[in-house]
Amino acid sequence: MPNRRSVLQGAVSGLLLTGAGLGTSRARADLPQGALDSALLEALPGKKPLIKRAYRPPNYETPLAGFASPITPNDQFFVRWHESDIPEIDADTWTLKVSGDGVAHELTLSLAQLKQEFEAVEIVAVCQCAGNRRGLSDPHVPGVQWGSGAIGNARWKGARLRDILTRAGMKNDTVEVAYHGGDRGPLDATPAFIKSLPSWK
């Protein structure tokens, strides 16, 4: 039996689907013409159609209809890659390596170990690309010309980074924890995309 919440949610979803399309008319008008011309709805494997902002590397944002509920569905969550060489991951052979001057000993963990040997913690949190709404900047700046859809809210579950670093023996004087993904640039000379978190976090 429908309740007030489900009726209102359905009404909002309908408005977003019928009235918004790729975004509000104001947002569409403020994006650069090139971003508007290339903003096609395309479906990546395992995804519903998303707004294409770049193809190589693939960067796709969530249409407004994807925000009809508090949790952004996985098949509508935005896609962000920095480098164009994206590896095929084999879950059975993939490993996480922790090393460097900030830990007492190097640590290599398989996906099975992360699932079995560490407490699984679940948290609801927003993930947003730092460049979200970049395409609306005035004057425009270089980079992926995002509208407002490079953001999502999800339930994240897995091992705590803190617990992994504790096993590796993170030293008290460690300042930053640096990490990078598996994507690589098309040329060996392309710098790796590396981010970091202060150790107190």
Side-chain angles (χ1 to χ4, degrees):
M1 172 131 187
N3 56 31
R4 183 173 181 267
R5 182 185 180 102
S6 65
V7 170
L8 287 174
Q9 184 175 353
V12 170
S13 299
L15 285 172
L16 291 173
L17 286 167
T18 59
L22 302 180
T24 65
S25 57
R26 174 170 165 69
R28 287 197 301 269
D30 290 344
L31 286 170
Q33 189 60 46
L36 293 173
D37 293 342
S38 64
L40 304 173
L41 283 173
E42 291 185 356
L44 298 169
K47 294 281 191 178
K48 290 183 177 177
L50 302 174
I51 305 168
K52 179 175 73 70
R53 292 296 179 206
Y55 180 72
R56 184 173 170 85
N59 288 286
Y60 289 74
E61 71 177 74
T62 304
L64 287 178
F67 301 116
S69 62
I71 300 296
T72 311
N74 282 343
D75 59 7
Q76 293 179 280
F77 213 91
F78 77 98
V79 174
R80 175 62 163 130
W81 290 95
H82 291 91
E83 305 290 359
S84 58
D85 186 2
I86 302 170
E88 292 288 332
I89 301 298
D90 181 351
D92 293 331
T93 59
W94 178 90
T95 56
L96 171 70
K97 181 178 178 181
V98 181
S99 62
D101 294 336
V103 293
H105 52 271
E106 187 174 297
L107 183 64
T108 301
L109 298 166
S110 68
L111 183 59
Q113 286 179 290
L114 288 171
K115 291 180 176 181
Q116 297 165 9
E117 299 177 13
F118 295 86
E119 178 187 2
V121 178
E122 184 174 301
I123 185 172
V124 174
V126 169
C127 177
Q128 176 178 234
C129 176
N132 192 36
R133 298 177 58 86
R134 183 187 288 127
L136 307 178
S137 297
D138 186 13
H140 290 300
V141 293
V144 177
Q145 297 298 297
W146 295 109
S148 303
I151 187 172
N153 190 40
R155 287 188 178 88
W156 308 89
K157 185 176 182 179
R160 292 186 189 94
L161 177 58
R162 180 184 67 195
D163 295 344
I164 296 168
L165 293 174
T166 297
R167 182 177 291 192
M170 187 173 82
K171 299 174 183 177
N172 291 333
D173 60 352
T174 299
V175 176
E176 294 275 319
V177 178
Y179 53 95
H180 59 83
D183 50 331
R184 295 289 182 268
L187 303 173
D188 291 340
T190 305
F193 185 82
I194 299 174
K195 299 291 281 185
S196 67
L197 283 172
S199 59
W200 63 266
K201 284 192 176 182

